[in-house]
Amino acid sequence: MSAQLLATKLRVPPRSSELVPRARLLDRLDQGLQRKLILVSAPAGFGKTTLVAEWVARRASEVCFAIGWLTLETSDNDLVRFLNYLAAAVGDALPGIAAEIQPRLEAPHPTPTEEILTALINRFVAANQPGRDQESRPELVLVLDDYHLITAAEIHEAVAFLLEHQPAGLHLVLLTRADPPLPLPRLRSQGQLVELRQGDLRFTAAEAAVFLQEIMQLSLGVLEVETLTRRTEGWIAGLQMAALALRGRHEEEAAAFVAGFTGTHRYVLDYLLEEVLQRQPASVQQFLLETSILERLSAPLCDAVRSGDAQPPVPSRELLDYLDRHNLFLVPLDEHRSWYRYYRLFADLLQLRLRQAIPARLAELHERAAAWHEAAGETGAAVTHLLAAGNVTRAATLVADHAEGAVMHGEMTTLLAWVDALPEEEIAARPYLALLYAWAMLLAGRPANVVEYWLQMMEAREDTAGWTNAIRAYVQLFEGNPLAARQLAERALSTLPAQTVFLRQLAGLVQSIAVRYQENGRDPDQALDATFRTSAAADNTLIAVLGLCLRAELAYRRGDLAEAAVIYEQALALAQTGEERLLPVASEPLLGLATLALEQFDLARAEELLEAGLALTREWSGVAALDGYLLRVRLHYLRGEHQAVWAVLDEAAELARQFDAVETDDLLVALARTQMELHLGRLGAARRWLEARALQADAVGADLSADLATHAASVRKYEYLLLARLLVAEGRPEEALQLLGRLLPHFDRLRTRVTIHLLQALAHEQRREDEAALAALSNALSLGERTGLIAVFAEEGEPVARLLYHALETGIAPDYASRLLGVFPAIRDEERAAARERMVEPLSERETEVLALVAEGLTNQEIAARLYLSLATVKWHTSNIYGKLAVGNRMQAVAKARTLGVLPAL
C-alpha cells in the first residue's frame, strides 16, 4: 500500500456491542450475493454503515469470503487516488490479486483506467477457476461507503465498467445518501440489483422497542415507544437523539418529552442543520424553506407556491429530482414520483427556519398554496392553508360551499376536520353548514349535549325553524319510534328549502323506512327504490347507498340471501369512486355482505369483509362501527374463540358508551352480551339482566301486545326471546313453549323464526315429545334450506346437532341436515357411533360398494355393468340399503351414509 493512503479508510468499522437484531435486512443482503450490485441508499442517520459492517463481519467468519472496505471522502474524486484506494481495499482482502495491478498504478505514465480494471478482473477470474478447491477460490465483498461524495464522472464510468464486466465471486456494495449515476434501471430490469432504501432501513416498532428499552435502557411504555417511532418515522438517528435526551429524566418528564418531540428539538435541529441543510446549495435551501408549508409536494404546486403566476428561476421539477436523487428526506408518494412529502422531523425543522428567516412571507405562501389546492378541487388542503394564512372568513365560505358534497359522499370525518378548525361564529353565520355539522357529529358519536347545542341554536332562529326535524327524525327512527320519526320527516319536507338537498333526502329516507312500520303503508321496497332513484340523480351517494342497503336488509329479513347479496353489491359499486377508492359509506354494504357470508358459514370471507368494513367506519359512523363489532362477536363465537367474545363485547360496550346521542346502541350491546351468556352457560348473569329489564318468567302467560306497544317493539321482542332461551336453558320447557308460541307472530325476520322453531324443538325434546320436537325441527329446516342459512343452526350448539342426527334417521331434509352437521365436528364421531348402533344391521361389503357407485351418480343398470351383476341383484342390494339406513330414496341414502361415515364426507 502507498504510504500516503490512510489505513483507517480501509478498515471495516468496528461492530457495536449494542446492536438491534435486523435479520430481515441481513437476509436481503445475503440475496445480493446472487446479483451484481447491492445498493444501500438512504439519508443520513439510517444506519447504512452499521448494518453492512455487521453483515460483512458475519460473512468474514466464513472461510471462502474476503472483505474489502473503502470509506470515501470528497478528496477521492481524483481518479488516480480513487483507483489506488480501490486497489488497496482489494489488496487488504486478497493480496495476490491486487499485487498484479499495483505496478500499473505506480507507472510514470498514466495507464488507461479500463486496462487497470481489466487486469484486476482477469486476475480475479484466474483465481476462481473451477478446478481449484473451494478454500483457494475467493469470494470478495467489496464495499464502497459514502459513495455519494463521489462526483467525478470518470470514477462513475470506472465503477460502471467494473459492474459491466464483473466476474463471478466479486460482490460490489455501495453505501450512499444519493443514487449514483450508474446504470441502475438496467440492472434492476435484469434482476441484477438488490436495493435497501430508507423504507427498508427505518426501525419497525419492534426494533425501536429493543433499541430504546433494552439497548438505551430507557423505562418507556409501549405507547411512548410507538409515539417516538411514529414521530421519527423509524429514523434511527432521530430515535438515538431522542434517547440521549431522555436519559436521566423522570417518568413524567419522559412522557412530556415524548409528547412534544419534534424536529425543532435541539438535538435533531443540530444534526439536521449540520448534516443536511447547510450542505445544500443556496437555491436548494430556499426551495426547501418555501415548500416546507406543504403536506404534499408536486412540481406544479411547488411552482405556484414559490412564484405565484410567474415561472421560478429553477423549475421545481429539477429541484425535486435533485432532492430525490440525494435522499434529502423526501418520501415518494406514488410510483411515478409525481408527489412527495418531507420527513416529519425534517419538515418541522424547515418550518422553524422559515418562520425565523422570512416570517413576512408566510401568509403569502399559504394563500398561494390555498389557491392552487382550491383550483385542483382539494378543499381540505385549501382550508388548512387559508386558516394558516389567517383568512378565516374565506376558509369558512369554502367549507360551506363543499360541506354538502362531503356529507353526500359519507365523508363525515373530513367534514368534521374542516368545521372543527373554524371559529364558532363563522359556523353559526352559515346555518346549513351548522346543521350538516350537527349531523356529522351525531354519526361520529360526539357528546349528545354538543349536538343538541347546535340543533337548539338553529331552532331558535326564525329563518331556520323546522330545519332540524330531518335530523331529529333520524334519531327517533334509530331509537325505535317509527311513528314519531315519520311525523318529523314529513314536517321537515314541508319546511326545508329546495336547496337543502341532503337534509330533504335524509327526511325522505327516514319517511321511506318508517313506511314499513305502518300497518297500511306502501310497499317498503317501492318507497326505498324511489328514494334511491332521487338520491342517485342528485349525486347523493350516501342516501342512495343507505337506501339500497335497507332494501337489501328487507330481502335478508325475508330470507332471500341471494337477492340481498345482489343489492349489497350494487350499493358497494355505487360507493366506489372513479379511482376505485371506496367511500366511507361503503362500510354499510361491506358489513351487509359480511353478515350474509357469516350466515352461510363462510367464516373466512365474512372476516375479510368485516375487517374491510370496520376500517371504513372510522371515517363514517360510530353506529356502523358498532354493527361491525357485534358481527365480530358472532364470528368469534362460531369459531369457538370464547375469550375473544368477551373482549369484543367490552370494546363494543365502550363504543356505545361514547356514542351517547342515542340510547338504543347500549341496549343492543347488552342484548348481544346476554345472548352470549346464555350460549356459554352464564345463566345467572343473563337472569339478572332480564330481571333488571322487568322481564319475569311469570309474565309469559300474559298478552304481550301491551308490553310491546309501550316499548320499542324492535328491541323488546328480542328481550322476550332471550327470556324464552333462558327458560329452555333452565329446563322449564312448558313456560318456554308458551312464550315462544306468543312471540312467533311478532317476528317477520325469517332467521329469527328459524331460531324460535329450534328453541321449540329443544323444549319439546326436554318434555320427551319426540314427534313434536321433530315437527318443530322440520319447520326450522324447511325455512333454513330455502334460504341457505347455516350459522343460525350452528349458534345453537350441540343440542341442535344431536336433534339433526335424529332427523337424519327419519329422512327429514337429509342433504341439508347433513350439510349442517358438517359445522359440528366436535360431536360428529360420537353421534356417528351412536347412529350406527341404532342401525337395524350394518351394511355388507357389497352393499357399501353399491352405495359408493350410487353416490357417483350411476344408474342401477350402470352399477350392474360395473360390478358384473344382474339388474335384479342391484335392485335387491339397494332395497336392503334403504331398509338398513331407514331412508326412502337414493339421495337420502347417500346423505345419511356420508353423515354416518359409511361414505367419506364431501
Coordinates of all heavy atoms in Angstrom, one line a residue, residues 459 464-473 476 483-497 503-504 507-508 510-511:
E459 N -82.8 26.0 15.9 CA -84.3 26.1 16.1 C -84.7 27.5 16.7 O -85.8 27.9 16.5 CB -84.7 25.0 17.1 CG -84.7 23.6 16.4 CD -84.8 22.5 17.4 OE1 -84.6 22.7 18.6 OE2 -85.1 21.3 17.0
T464 N -84.6 29.5 10.2 CA -84.3 28.0 10.0 C -85.2 27.2 10.9 O -84.9 26.0 11.1 CB -82.8 27.7 10.4 OG1 -82.6 28.2 11.8 CG2 -81.9 28.5 9.5
A465 N -86.3 27.7 11.4 CA -87.2 26.9 12.2 C -87.7 25.7 11.5 O -88.2 25.8 10.3 CB -88.4 27.8 12.7
G466 N -87.6 24.6 12.1 CA -88.1 23.3 11.5 C -87.1 22.6 10.6 O -87.3 21.5 10.2
W467 N -85.9 23.2 10.4 CA -84.9 22.6 9.6 C -84.3 21.4 10.3 O -83.8 20.4 9.7 CB -83.8 23.5 9.2 CG -84.1 24.6 8.2 CD1 -85.3 25.0 7.9 CD2 -83.2 25.3 7.4 NE1 -85.3 26.0 6.9 CE2 -83.9 26.2 6.6 CE3 -81.8 25.3 7.2 CZ2 -83.4 27.0 5.6 CZ3 -81.2 26.1 6.3 CH2 -82.0 27.0 5.5
T468 N -84.3 21.4 11.6 CA -83.7 20.3 12.4 C -84.5 19.1 12.4 O -84.0 18.0 12.9 CB -83.4 20.8 13.8 OG1 -84.7 21.1 14.4 CG2 -82.6 22.0 13.9
N469 N -85.8 19.1 11.9 CA -86.7 18.0 12.0 C -86.1 16.7 11.3 O -86.4 15.6 11.7 CB -88.0 18.3 11.5 CG -88.8 19.1 12.5 OD1 -88.6 19.0 13.7 ND2 -89.7 20.0 12.0
A470 N -85.4 16.9 10.2 CA -84.8 15.8 9.5 C -83.8 15.0 10.4 O -83.9 13.8 10.4 CB -84.1 16.3 8.2
I471 N -83.0 15.7 11.1 CA -82.0 15.1 12.0 C -82.7 14.4 13.1 O -82.4 13.3 13.5 CB -80.9 16.1 12.4 CG1 -80.2 16.6 11.2 CG2 -80.0 15.4 13.4 CD1 -79.2 17.7 11.6
R472 N -83.7 15.1 13.7 CA -84.4 14.6 14.9 C -85.2 13.3 14.4 O -85.4 12.4 15.2 CB -85.3 15.6 15.5 CG -84.5 16.8 16.1 CD -85.4 17.6 17.1 NE -84.7 18.7 17.6 CZ -83.8 18.6 18.7 NH1 -83.5 17.4 19.2 NH2 -83.2 19.7 19.1
A473 N -85.7 13.3 13.2 CA -86.5 12.2 12.7 C -85.6 11.0 12.6 O -86.0 9.9 13.0 CB -87.0 12.5 11.3
Q476 N -85.1 9.5 16.1 CA -86.3 8.8 16.6 C -86.4 7.4 15.9 O -86.8 6.5 16.5 CB -87.5 9.6 16.3 CG -87.7 10.8 17.1 CD -87.9 10.4 18.6 OE1 -88.6 9.5 18.9 NE2 -87.2 11.2 19.5
L483 N -93.2 5.9 14.3 CA -94.3 6.9 14.1 C -93.9 8.3 14.3 O -94.1 9.2 13.4 CB -95.5 6.6 15.1 CG -96.7 7.5 15.0 CD1 -97.3 7.4 13.5 CD2 -97.8 7.1 16.0
A484 N -93.1 8.6 15.4 CA -92.6 9.9 15.6 C -91.6 10.3 14.5 O -91.5 11.5 14.1 CB -91.9 10.0 17.0
A485 N -90.8 9.3 14.1 CA -89.8 9.6 13.0 C -90.5 10.0 11.7 O -90.1 11.0 11.1 CB -89.0 8.3 12.8
R486 N -91.6 9.3 11.4 CA -92.3 9.7 10.2 C -92.9 11.1 10.3 O -92.9 11.9 9.3 CB -93.4 8.6 9.9 CG -94.1 8.9 8.5 CD -95.0 7.8 8.2 NE -95.6 8.0 6.8 CZ -96.4 7.1 6.3 NH1 -96.8 6.0 6.9 NH2 -96.9 7.4 5.0
Q487 N -93.5 11.4 11.4 CA -94.1 12.7 11.6 C -93.1 13.8 11.4 O -93.3 14.8 10.7 CB -94.8 12.8 12.9 CG -96.1 11.9 13.0 CD -96.6 11.8 14.4 OE1 -95.9 12.1 15.4 NE2 -97.8 11.3 14.5
L488 N -91.9 13.6 12.1 CA -90.9 14.6 12.0 C -90.3 14.8 10.6 O -90.0 15.9 10.1 CB -89.7 14.3 12.9 CG -90.0 14.5 14.4 CD1 -89.0 13.8 15.3 CD2 -90.1 16.0 14.7
A489 N -90.2 13.6 9.9 CA -89.7 13.6 8.5 C -90.7 14.4 7.6 O -90.2 15.2 6.7 CB -89.5 12.2 8.0
E490 N -92.0 14.2 7.8 CA -92.9 14.9 6.9 C -92.9 16.4 7.2 O -93.1 17.2 6.3 CB -94.3 14.3 7.2 CG -94.5 12.9 6.6 CD -95.7 12.2 7.0 OE1 -96.4 12.7 7.9 OE2 -96.0 11.1 6.4
R491 N -92.7 16.8 8.5 CA -92.6 18.2 8.8 C -91.4 18.8 8.2 O -91.4 19.9 7.7 CB -92.5 18.4 10.3 CG -93.8 18.1 11.1 CD -93.6 18.3 12.6 NE -94.6 17.6 13.4 CZ -94.5 17.3 14.7 NH1 -93.4 17.7 15.3 NH2 -95.4 16.7 15.3
A492 N -90.3 18.1 8.2 CA -89.0 18.6 7.6 C -89.2 18.8 6.1 O -88.8 19.8 5.6 CB -87.9 17.6 7.8
L493 N -89.9 17.9 5.4 CA -90.1 18.0 4.0 C -91.0 19.2 3.7 O -90.9 19.8 2.6 CB -90.7 16.7 3.4 CG -89.8 15.5 3.4 CD1 -90.5 14.2 3.1 CD2 -88.6 15.8 2.4
S494 N -91.9 19.6 4.6 CA -92.8 20.7 4.4 C -92.1 22.1 4.7 O -92.6 23.1 4.2 CB -94.0 20.6 5.2 OG -93.7 20.7 6.6
T495 N -90.9 22.1 5.4 CA -90.3 23.3 5.7 C -88.9 23.5 5.1 O -88.5 24.7 5.0 CB -90.2 23.4 7.3 OG1 -89.4 22.3 7.7 CG2 -91.5 23.5 8.0
L496 N -88.2 22.5 4.8 CA -86.9 22.6 4.3 C -86.9 23.3 2.9 O -87.6 22.8 2.0 CB -86.2 21.3 4.2 CG -85.6 20.7 5.5 CD1 -85.3 19.3 5.4 CD2 -84.4 21.5 6.0
P497 N -86.0 24.2 2.6 CA -85.9 24.8 1.3 C -85.4 23.8 0.3 O -84.7 22.8 0.6 CB -84.9 26.0 1.5 CG -84.8 26.2 2.9 CD -85.1 24.9 3.6
L503 N -80.5 17.3 3.5 CA -81.5 17.2 4.6 C -82.8 16.7 4.0 O -83.5 16.0 4.7 CB -81.6 18.5 5.4 CG -80.4 18.8 6.3 CD1 -80.7 20.1 7.0 CD2 -80.1 17.7 7.3
R504 N -83.2 17.2 2.9 CA -84.5 16.8 2.3 C -84.5 15.3 1.9 O -85.5 14.6 2.2 CB -84.9 17.6 1.1 CG -85.2 19.1 1.3 CD -85.8 19.8 0.1 NE -87.0 19.1 -0.4 CZ -88.2 19.4 0.1 NH1 -88.4 20.3 1.1 NH2 -89.2 18.8 -0.4
A507 N -84.6 13.3 5.1 CA -86.0 13.2 5.6 C -86.8 12.2 4.7 O -87.6 11.4 5.3 CB -86.7 14.5 5.5
G508 N -86.6 12.2 3.4 CA -87.2 11.2 2.5 C -86.9 9.8 2.9 O -87.7 8.9 2.8
V510 N -85.9 8.6 5.8 CA -86.5 8.2 7.1 C -88.0 7.9 6.9 O -88.5 7.0 7.4 CB -86.3 9.4 8.1 CG1 -87.1 9.1 9.4 CG2 -84.9 9.5 8.5
Q511 N -88.6 8.7 6.1 CA -90.0 8.5 5.8 C -90.2 7.1 5.1 O -91.1 6.4 5.4 CB -90.5 9.6 4.9 CG -92.0 9.6 4.6 CD -92.5 10.6 3.6 OE1 -91.8 10.8 2.6 NE2 -93.6 11.3 3.9

